[in-house]
Amino acid sequence: MFLAAIFCLLWSVSSAERHPNACCVDREFECVMGEIGGSIVTEHGIPTQKLHKGFNILHYDYYVRKMAILFHTRQDDGTMKVTHILYDFTKNKTYISGSGSCNVTAIPPGTTFREPCIPDDAKFLGSTYMGYGASHLPLYNWEIKKASHPNITKRMAVTQGGCTPVLEATYGYADHNGAKFDVVYVFNNYHPRIRRRDVFDIPHICNPGMQSDIPEQANRVVRTITNLFQ
């Protein structure tokens, strides 16, 4: 029901509405991204449903070309697994650490650290609002598709004033394994600057002698954040 309500919000269209110009999020910000969604993957030849729920603490700085995420995912036993992900485009490295191990990988050639903007070719879906009366929050809805990821569709709701992200729904088929997925992010505690610069420090555990495979949950958030801001 929650996902259905989000899609209804992001589908709002008025054919007579004036098309606004594409906008840009603050080039330096931090926020909490609440996450809920699911996917259907094939395990041992059987389609299996996977529920995704958790939250991400995101720090993004276009000026220093770095992005840090603390990825929290709720496990089946109710505990929370935390993975630290650091993009450092000054070194062209991605550092993913958690549970006593770290994986250091090169950022693929040709990948750029782009400004966090709605693309010029994004489709305007119309305006809507959240809340009521004097407390309502006016929003613009956009649909974004990339030629490099034709099986993935993203819809975003940003404030009409300031272009602050509020909602994002991403759905389609994952490029790496063809799994069908549907994930919604709700942006909370948005702040237009970085309050602690040490969030961009390389974790001490990340050295050449302590590398491991990237957890699938971390792989998923890496792909999502990559599609969102690169």
PDB file of all heavy atoms in Angstrom, residues 166-192:
ATOM      1  N   VAL A 166      12.732  14.859  -2.164  1.00  0.00           N
ATOM      2  CA  VAL A 166      11.788  14.396  -1.150  1.00  0.00           C
ATOM      3  C   VAL A 166      11.505  12.904  -1.310  1.00  0.00           C
ATOM      4  O   VAL A 166      11.524  12.147  -0.338  1.00  0.00           O
ATOM      5  CB  VAL A 166      10.471  15.201  -1.218  1.00  0.00           C
ATOM      6  CG1 VAL A 166       9.449  14.661  -0.220  1.00  0.00           C
ATOM      7  CG2 VAL A 166      10.736  16.681  -0.962  1.00  0.00           C
ATOM      8  N   LEU A 167      11.248  12.465  -2.531  1.00  0.00           N
ATOM      9  CA  LEU A 167      10.938  11.060  -2.805  1.00  0.00           C
ATOM     10  C   LEU A 167      11.654  10.607  -4.064  1.00  0.00           C
ATOM     11  O   LEU A 167      11.859  11.400  -4.995  1.00  0.00           O
ATOM     12  CB  LEU A 167       9.430  10.866  -3.004  1.00  0.00           C
ATOM     13  CG  LEU A 167       8.509  11.149  -1.821  1.00  0.00           C
ATOM     14  CD1 LEU A 167       7.055  11.174  -2.295  1.00  0.00           C
ATOM     15  CD2 LEU A 167       8.681  10.100  -0.744  1.00  0.00           C
ATOM     16  N   GLU A 168      12.015   9.339  -4.081  1.00  0.00           N
ATOM     17  CA  GLU A 168      12.525   8.735  -5.316  1.00  0.00           C
ATOM     18  C   GLU A 168      12.027   7.307  -5.395  1.00  0.00           C
ATOM     19  O   GLU A 168      12.131   6.545  -4.425  1.00  0.00           O
ATOM     20  CB  GLU A 168      14.049   8.721  -5.350  1.00  0.00           C
ATOM     21  CG  GLU A 168      14.585   8.106  -6.645  1.00  0.00           C
ATOM     22  CD  GLU A 168      15.964   7.502  -6.496  1.00  0.00           C
ATOM     23  OE1 GLU A 168      16.766   8.055  -5.744  1.00  0.00           O
ATOM     24  OE2 GLU A 168      16.212   6.444  -7.126  1.00  0.00           O
ATOM     25  N   ALA A 169      11.475   6.945  -6.538  1.00  0.00           N
ATOM     26  CA  ALA A 169      11.053   5.569  -6.797  1.00  0.00           C
ATOM     27  C   ALA A 169      11.850   5.052  -7.984  1.00  0.00           C
ATOM     28  O   ALA A 169      11.845   5.672  -9.051  1.00  0.00           O
ATOM     29  CB  ALA A 169       9.557   5.510  -7.095  1.00  0.00           C
ATOM     30  N   THR A 170      12.546   3.942  -7.815  1.00  0.00           N
ATOM     31  CA  THR A 170      13.333   3.335  -8.885  1.00  0.00           C
ATOM     32  C   THR A 170      12.835   1.914  -9.097  1.00  0.00           C
ATOM     33  O   THR A 170      12.683   1.156  -8.141  1.00  0.00           O
ATOM     34  CB  THR A 170      14.833   3.316  -8.518  1.00  0.00           C
ATOM     35  OG1 THR A 170      15.274   4.652  -8.235  1.00  0.00           O
ATOM     36  CG2 THR A 170      15.668   2.771  -9.664  1.00  0.00           C
ATOM     37  N   TYR A 171      12.593   1.554 -10.344  1.00  0.00           N
ATOM     38  CA  TYR A 171      12.055   0.219 -10.613  1.00  0.00           C
ATOM     39  C   TYR A 171      12.506  -0.251 -11.998  1.00  0.00           C
ATOM     40  O   TYR A 171      12.929   0.543 -12.846  1.00  0.00           O
ATOM     41  CB  TYR A 171      10.526   0.215 -10.520  1.00  0.00           C
ATOM     42  CG  TYR A 171       9.830   1.130 -11.511  1.00  0.00           C
ATOM     43  CD1 TYR A 171       9.359   0.639 -12.725  1.00  0.00           C
ATOM     44  CD2 TYR A 171       9.655   2.477 -11.227  1.00  0.00           C
ATOM     45  CE1 TYR A 171       8.722   1.473 -13.623  1.00  0.00           C
ATOM     46  CE2 TYR A 171       9.030   3.322 -12.119  1.00  0.00           C
ATOM     47  CZ  TYR A 171       8.558   2.818 -13.317  1.00  0.00           C
ATOM     48  OH  TYR A 171       7.944   3.663 -14.212  1.00  0.00           O
ATOM     49  N   GLY A 172      12.440  -1.558 -12.193  1.00  0.00           N
ATOM     50  CA  GLY A 172      12.828  -2.132 -13.477  1.00  0.00           C
ATOM     51  C   GLY A 172      13.553  -3.447 -13.283  1.00  0.00           C
ATOM     52  O   GLY A 172      13.230  -4.222 -12.371  1.00  0.00           O
ATOM     53  N   TYR A 173      14.552  -3.674 -14.121  1.00  0.00           N
ATOM     54  CA  TYR A 173      15.328  -4.912 -14.075  1.00  0.00           C
ATOM     55  C   TYR A 173      16.804  -4.557 -13.877  1.00  0.00           C
ATOM     56  O   TYR A 173      17.363  -3.758 -14.639  1.00  0.00           O
ATOM     57  CB  TYR A 173      15.156  -5.714 -15.364  1.00  0.00           C
ATOM     58  CG  TYR A 173      13.755  -6.238 -15.555  1.00  0.00           C
ATOM     59  CD1 TYR A 173      12.786  -5.464 -16.184  1.00  0.00           C
ATOM     60  CD2 TYR A 173      13.395  -7.499 -15.081  1.00  0.00           C
ATOM     61  CE1 TYR A 173      11.492  -5.928 -16.347  1.00  0.00           C
ATOM     62  CE2 TYR A 173      12.098  -7.971 -15.239  1.00  0.00           C
ATOM     63  CZ  TYR A 173      11.159  -7.186 -15.870  1.00  0.00           C
ATOM     64  OH  TYR A 173       9.871  -7.648 -16.019  1.00  0.00           O
ATOM     65  N   ALA A 174      17.406  -5.136 -12.844  1.00  0.00           N
ATOM     66  CA  ALA A 174      18.803  -4.857 -12.553  1.00  0.00           C
ATOM     67  C   ALA A 174      19.676  -5.335 -13.707  1.00  0.00           C
ATOM     68  O   ALA A 174      19.494  -6.439 -14.225  1.00  0.00           O
ATOM     69  CB  ALA A 174      19.217  -5.539 -11.248  1.00  0.00           C
ATOM     70  N   ASP A 175      20.635  -4.496 -14.084  1.00  0.00           N
ATOM     71  CA  ASP A 175      21.469  -4.823 -15.232  1.00  0.00           C
ATOM     72  C   ASP A 175      22.388  -6.009 -14.977  1.00  0.00           C
ATOM     73  O   ASP A 175      22.732  -6.752 -15.881  1.00  0.00           O
ATOM     74  CB  ASP A 175      22.324  -3.608 -15.617  1.00  0.00           C
ATOM     75  CG  ASP A 175      21.472  -2.438 -16.100  1.00  0.00           C
ATOM     76  OD1 ASP A 175      20.335  -2.683 -16.510  1.00  0.00           O
ATOM     77  OD2 ASP A 175      21.958  -1.302 -16.065  1.00  0.00           O
ATOM     78  N   HIS A 176      22.804  -6.200 -13.700  1.00  0.00           N
ATOM     79  CA  HIS A 176      23.832  -7.209 -13.433  1.00  0.00           C
ATOM     80  C   HIS A 176      23.284  -8.631 -13.412  1.00  0.00           C
ATOM     81  O   HIS A 176      23.998  -9.581 -13.708  1.00  0.00           O
ATOM     82  CB  HIS A 176      24.537  -6.899 -12.111  1.00  0.00           C
ATOM     83  CG  HIS A 176      23.692  -7.123 -10.900  1.00  0.00           C
ATOM     84  ND1 HIS A 176      22.560  -6.379 -10.646  1.00  0.00           N
ATOM     85  CD2 HIS A 176      23.815  -8.013  -9.876  1.00  0.00           C
ATOM     86  CE1 HIS A 176      22.026  -6.805  -9.521  1.00  0.00           C
ATOM     87  NE2 HIS A 176      22.755  -7.788  -9.038  1.00  0.00           N
ATOM     88  N   ASN A 177      21.999  -8.816 -13.055  1.00  0.00           N
ATOM     89  CA  ASN A 177      21.467 -10.183 -13.007  1.00  0.00           C
ATOM     90  C   ASN A 177      20.031 -10.301 -13.524  1.00  0.00           C
ATOM     91  O   ASN A 177      19.447 -11.379 -13.463  1.00  0.00           O
ATOM     92  CB  ASN A 177      21.545 -10.740 -11.578  1.00  0.00           C
ATOM     93  CG  ASN A 177      20.705  -9.926 -10.597  1.00  0.00           C
ATOM     94  OD1 ASN A 177      19.956  -9.026 -10.991  1.00  0.00           O
ATOM     95  ND2 ASN A 177      20.837 -10.233  -9.322  1.00  0.00           N
ATOM     96  N   GLY A 178      19.464  -9.210 -14.015  1.00  0.00           N
ATOM     97  CA  GLY A 178      18.119  -9.256 -14.571  1.00  0.00           C
ATOM     98  C   GLY A 178      17.009  -9.358 -13.552  1.00  0.00           C
ATOM     99  O   GLY A 178      15.850  -9.573 -13.905  1.00  0.00           O
ATOM    100  N   ALA A 179      17.319  -9.196 -12.252  1.00  0.00           N
ATOM    101  CA  ALA A 179      16.301  -9.289 -11.212  1.00  0.00           C
ATOM    102  C   ALA A 179      15.342  -8.095 -11.297  1.00  0.00           C
ATOM    103  O   ALA A 179      15.764  -6.957 -11.488  1.00  0.00           O
ATOM    104  CB  ALA A 179      16.952  -9.340  -9.835  1.00  0.00           C
ATOM    105  N   LYS A 180      14.044  -8.380 -11.156  1.00  0.00           N
ATOM    106  CA  LYS A 180      13.053  -7.315 -11.131  1.00  0.00           C
ATOM    107  C   LYS A 180      13.037  -6.687  -9.740  1.00  0.00           C
ATOM    108  O   LYS A 180      13.059  -7.386  -8.727  1.00  0.00           O
ATOM    109  CB  LYS A 180      11.677  -7.885 -11.461  1.00  0.00           C
ATOM    110  CG  LYS A 180      10.593  -6.828 -11.614  1.00  0.00           C
ATOM    111  CD  LYS A 180       9.275  -7.447 -12.045  1.00  0.00           C
ATOM    112  CE  LYS A 180       8.216  -6.380 -12.242  1.00  0.00           C
ATOM    113  NZ  LYS A 180       6.928  -6.962 -12.684  1.00  0.00           N
ATOM    114  N   PHE A 181      13.016  -5.342  -9.678  1.00  0.00           N
ATOM    115  CA  PHE A 181      13.060  -4.677  -8.377  1.00  0.00           C
ATOM    116  C   PHE A 181      12.206  -3.413  -8.388  1.00  0.00           C
ATOM    117  O   PHE A 181      11.877  -2.865  -9.447  1.00  0.00           O
ATOM    118  CB  PHE A 181      14.500  -4.330  -7.983  1.00  0.00           C
ATOM    119  CG  PHE A 181      15.087  -3.201  -8.797  1.00  0.00           C
ATOM    120  CD1 PHE A 181      15.054  -1.908  -8.332  1.00  0.00           C
ATOM    121  CD2 PHE A 181      15.655  -3.450 -10.045  1.00  0.00           C
ATOM    122  CE1 PHE A 181      15.584  -0.864  -9.076  1.00  0.00           C
ATOM    123  CE2 PHE A 181      16.183  -2.417 -10.805  1.00  0.00           C
ATOM    124  CZ  PHE A 181      16.148  -1.123 -10.323  1.00  0.00           C
ATOM    125  N   ASP A 182      11.876  -2.963  -7.189  1.00  0.00           N
ATOM    126  CA  ASP A 182      11.052  -1.778  -6.982  1.00  0.00           C
ATOM    127  C   ASP A 182      11.432  -1.221  -5.617  1.00  0.00           C
ATOM    128  O   ASP A 182      11.168  -1.852  -4.591  1.00  0.00           O
ATOM    129  CB  ASP A 182       9.574  -2.164  -7.031  1.00  0.00           C
ATOM    130  CG  ASP A 182       8.634  -0.988  -6.814  1.00  0.00           C
ATOM    131  OD1 ASP A 182       9.121   0.113  -6.539  1.00  0.00           O
ATOM    132  OD2 ASP A 182       7.412  -1.199  -6.913  1.00  0.00           O
ATOM    133  N   VAL A 183      12.096  -0.067  -5.586  1.00  0.00           N
ATOM    134  CA  VAL A 183      12.599   0.499  -4.333  1.00  0.00           C
ATOM    135  C   VAL A 183      12.202   1.969  -4.250  1.00  0.00           C
ATOM    136  O   VAL A 183      12.291   2.704  -5.241  1.00  0.00           O
ATOM    137  CB  VAL A 183      14.134   0.372  -4.220  1.00  0.00           C
ATOM    138  CG1 VAL A 183      14.628   0.971  -2.900  1.00  0.00           C
ATOM    139  CG2 VAL A 183      14.570  -1.083  -4.324  1.00  0.00           C
ATOM    140  N   VAL A 184      11.735   2.394  -3.071  1.00  0.00           N
ATOM    141  CA  VAL A 184      11.370   3.787  -2.821  1.00  0.00           C
ATOM    142  C   VAL A 184      12.266   4.348  -1.725  1.00  0.00           C
ATOM    143  O   VAL A 184      12.505   3.690  -0.702  1.00  0.00           O
ATOM    144  CB  VAL A 184       9.890   3.913  -2.401  1.00  0.00           C
ATOM    145  CG1 VAL A 184       9.576   5.341  -1.943  1.00  0.00           C
ATOM    146  CG2 VAL A 184       8.980   3.522  -3.563  1.00  0.00           C
ATOM    147  N   TYR A 185      12.785   5.563  -1.950  1.00  0.00           N
ATOM    148  CA  TYR A 185      13.571   6.276  -0.953  1.00  0.00           C
ATOM    149  C   TYR A 185      12.814   7.529  -0.518  1.00  0.00           C
ATOM    150  O   TYR A 185      12.283   8.265  -1.358  1.00  0.00           O
ATOM    151  CB  TYR A 185      14.931   6.681  -1.506  1.00  0.00           C
ATOM    152  CG  TYR A 185      15.848   5.511  -1.778  1.00  0.00           C
ATOM    153  CD1 TYR A 185      15.957   4.971  -3.053  1.00  0.00           C
ATOM    154  CD2 TYR A 185      16.596   4.938  -0.754  1.00  0.00           C
ATOM    155  CE1 TYR A 185      16.789   3.897  -3.301  1.00  0.00           C
ATOM    156  CE2 TYR A 185      17.430   3.856  -0.996  1.00  0.00           C
ATOM    157  CZ  TYR A 185      17.519   3.347  -2.268  1.00  0.00           C
ATOM    158  OH  TYR A 185      18.334   2.271  -2.516  1.00  0.00           O
ATOM    159  N   VAL A 186      12.781   7.760   0.787  1.00  0.00           N
ATOM    160  CA  VAL A 186      12.193   8.973   1.353  1.00  0.00           C
ATOM    161  C   VAL A 186      13.328   9.763   1.994  1.00  0.00           C
ATOM    162  O   VAL A 186      14.032   9.258   2.872  1.00  0.00           O
ATOM    163  CB  VAL A 186      11.109   8.636   2.396  1.00  0.00           C
ATOM    164  CG1 VAL A 186      10.504   9.921   2.953  1.00  0.00           C
ATOM    165  CG2 VAL A 186      10.026   7.746   1.789  1.00  0.00           C
ATOM    166  N   PHE A 187      13.536  10.997   1.547  1.00  0.00           N
ATOM    167  CA  PHE A 187      14.634  11.825   2.028  1.00  0.00           C
ATOM    168  C   PHE A 187      14.205  12.568   3.294  1.00  0.00           C
ATOM    169  O   PHE A 187      13.193  13.272   3.296  1.00  0.00           O
ATOM    170  CB  PHE A 187      15.052  12.823   0.957  1.00  0.00           C
ATOM    171  CG  PHE A 187      15.687  12.183  -0.253  1.00  0.00           C
ATOM    172  CD1 PHE A 187      14.899  11.580  -1.228  1.00  0.00           C
ATOM    173  CD2 PHE A 187      17.061  12.189  -0.416  1.00  0.00           C
ATOM    174  CE1 PHE A 187      15.478  10.992  -2.345  1.00  0.00           C
ATOM    175  CE2 PHE A 187      17.648  11.605  -1.535  1.00  0.00           C
ATOM    176  CZ  PHE A 187      16.857  11.001  -2.494  1.00  0.00           C
ATOM    177  N   ASN A 188      15.010  12.417   4.353  1.00  0.00           N
ATOM    178  CA  ASN A 188      14.728  13.067   5.638  1.00  0.00           C
ATOM    179  C   ASN A 188      15.973  13.810   6.124  1.00  0.00           C
ATOM    180  O   ASN A 188      17.085  13.544   5.685  1.00  0.00           O
ATOM    181  CB  ASN A 188      14.345  12.020   6.698  1.00  0.00           C
ATOM    182  CG  ASN A 188      13.155  11.191   6.292  1.00  0.00           C
ATOM    183  OD1 ASN A 188      12.030  11.666   6.303  1.00  0.00           O
ATOM    184  ND2 ASN A 188      13.389   9.943   5.926  1.00  0.00           N
ATOM    185  N   ASN A 189      15.770  14.711   7.087  1.00  0.00           N
ATOM    186  CA  ASN A 189      16.875  15.412   7.761  1.00  0.00           C
ATOM    187  C   ASN A 189      17.864  16.012   6.766  1.00  0.00           C
ATOM    188  O   ASN A 189      19.083  15.945   6.950  1.00  0.00           O
ATOM    189  CB  ASN A 189      17.610  14.461   8.711  1.00  0.00           C
ATOM    190  CG  ASN A 189      16.739  13.971   9.841  1.00  0.00           C
ATOM    191  OD1 ASN A 189      15.679  14.539  10.109  1.00  0.00           O
ATOM    192  ND2 ASN A 189      17.149  12.911  10.502  1.00  0.00           N
ATOM    193  N   TYR A 190      17.347  16.596   5.707  1.00  0.00           N
ATOM    194  CA  TYR A 190      18.200  17.194   4.682  1.00  0.00           C
ATOM    195  C   TYR A 190      18.912  18.427   5.238  1.00  0.00           C
ATOM    196  O   TYR A 190      18.306  19.262   5.909  1.00  0.00           O
ATOM    197  CB  TYR A 190      17.351  17.573   3.471  1.00  0.00           C
ATOM    198  CG  TYR A 190      18.133  18.086   2.295  1.00  0.00           C
ATOM    199  CD1 TYR A 190      18.595  17.216   1.322  1.00  0.00           C
ATOM    200  CD2 TYR A 190      18.407  19.443   2.158  1.00  0.00           C
ATOM    201  CE1 TYR A 190      19.308  17.679   0.227  1.00  0.00           C
ATOM    202  CE2 TYR A 190      19.122  19.922   1.076  1.00  0.00           C
ATOM    203  CZ  TYR A 190      19.572  19.032   0.118  1.00  0.00           C
ATOM    204  OH  TYR A 190      20.280  19.499  -0.954  1.00  0.00           O
ATOM    205  N   HIS A 191      20.203  18.533   4.936  1.00  0.00           N
ATOM    206  CA  HIS A 191      20.998  19.678   5.395  1.00  0.00           C
ATOM    207  C   HIS A 191      21.935  20.095   4.266  1.00  0.00           C
ATOM    208  O   HIS A 191      22.698  19.254   3.759  1.00  0.00           O
ATOM    209  CB  HIS A 191      21.800  19.295   6.642  1.00  0.00           C
ATOM    210  CG  HIS A 191      22.444  20.459   7.317  1.00  0.00           C
ATOM    211  ND1 HIS A 191      21.747  21.350   8.095  1.00  0.00           N
ATOM    212  CD2 HIS A 191      23.728  20.901   7.311  1.00  0.00           C
ATOM    213  CE1 HIS A 191      22.569  22.278   8.564  1.00  0.00           C
ATOM    214  NE2 HIS A 191      23.770  22.033   8.090  1.00  0.00           N
ATOM    215  N   PRO A 192      21.936  21.375   3.850  1.00  0.00           N
ATOM    216  CA  PRO A 192      22.682  21.791   2.660  1.00  0.00           C
ATOM    217  C   PRO A 192      24.164  22.073   2.894  1.00  0.00           C
ATOM    218  O   PRO A 192      24.724  22.996   2.316  1.00  0.00           O
ATOM    219  CB  PRO A 192      21.939  23.053   2.219  1.00  0.00           C
ATOM    220  CG  PRO A 192      21.432  23.634   3.501  1.00  0.00           C
ATOM    221  CD  PRO A 192      21.061  22.446   4.361  1.00  0.00           C
TER     222      PRO A 192
END
